[in-house]
Amino acid sequence: MDRDLLIQQVKSEYARLAQLENREHITNQAYSGVSPEAYYEKTLEKAIRDISTGKYDDCASGLQVVERIANRSTKARRIQNTIESTLHNMETAEEIMALEPNGKKTQDLKEKNERRAEAIPQMIREMKEELAREELDADSPNVIGGGGNG
């Protein structure tokens, strides 16, 4: 597909989505405190860069590009999901241990929770590093030397 045509279709699709969300009064909370317009603008800029480099040459339409971007989970998000899952598992283990305070299963769960607790700080560091890497990759205005008009 022609990359210029693909870019125009992606622009139209993001404009449609932003307008739809403005009509529905979507809060900034869904976009980490960024307005939907700013979110879509930043996402569009990255999409245009990626289209220009051929990343989406296998896509048949702008809608397909937008869907692929929306369904992509960043590494930082996957780490965050792992942290949340680990914390949930720790809470569940605590509940099970409270029901049966003595026994082999309780001891095993206690040891697992200790290992989980030791792993969480490293996961948090990895997530922060990955978020910083993503900011740099996106030429964010929040990064010295990044994009923006400031």
Side-chain angles (χ1 to χ4, degrees):
M1 168 164 250
D2 176 26
R3 289 180 185 166
D4 291 330
L5 177 60
L6 200 58
I7 289 170
Q8 291 307 314
Q9 290 177 353
V10 168
K11 284 181 179 179
S12 296
E13 186 61 23
Y14 278 129
R16 183 187 70 77
L17 290 170
Q19 184 180 33
L20 178 68
E21 292 190 17
N22 280 334
R23 262 190 269 142
E24 294 179 2
H25 307 292
I26 303 295
T27 65
N28 293 350
Q29 187 177 17
Y31 301 100
S32 303
V34 176
S35 70
E37 295 87 4
Y39 169 80
Y40 284 120
E41 184 176 325
K42 182 178 178 180
T43 305
L44 175 61
E45 288 171 6
K46 182 164 178 14
I48 290 170
R49 281 195 311 272
D50 289 346
I51 290 168
S52 297
T53 62
K55 183 173 182 174
Y56 297 107
D57 282 354
D58 61 327
C59 291
S61 69
L63 178 61
Q64 189 177 9
V65 171
V66 170
E67 287 173 347
R68 188 179 295 176
I69 290 169
N71 291 329
R72 182 180 61 218
S73 177
T74 66
K75 185 174 181 181
R77 182 68 190 148
R78 288 190 301 272
I79 295 169
Q80 182 178 355
N81 289 343
T82 301
I83 292 168
E84 291 170 2
S85 176
T86 300
L87 291 171
H88 174 75
N89 289 342
M90 289 174 74
E91 290 173 7
T92 302
E94 290 290 335
E95 291 171 4
I96 292 170
M97 288 187 291
L99 294 173
E100 190 180 318
N102 299 319
K104 174 80 170 117
K105 185 175 185 176
T106 299
Q107 185 59 37
D108 290 343
L109 289 173
K110 189 179 279 189
E111 290 171 7
K112 279 185 180 180
N113 269 3
E114 288 172 5
R115 288 191 301 274
R116 290 171 178 147
E118 290 172 5
I120 288 175
Q122 178 61 34
M123 287 189 279
I124 291 171
R125 277 191 296 278
E126 287 177 27
M127 182 180 71
K128 287 181 178 180
E129 289 171 6
E130 192 56 38
L131 284 170
R133 214 173 279 115
E134 289 170 11
E135 288 282 330
L136 285 171
D137 290 346
D139 289 330
S140 171
N142 299 325
V143 177
I144 295 173
N149 300 324

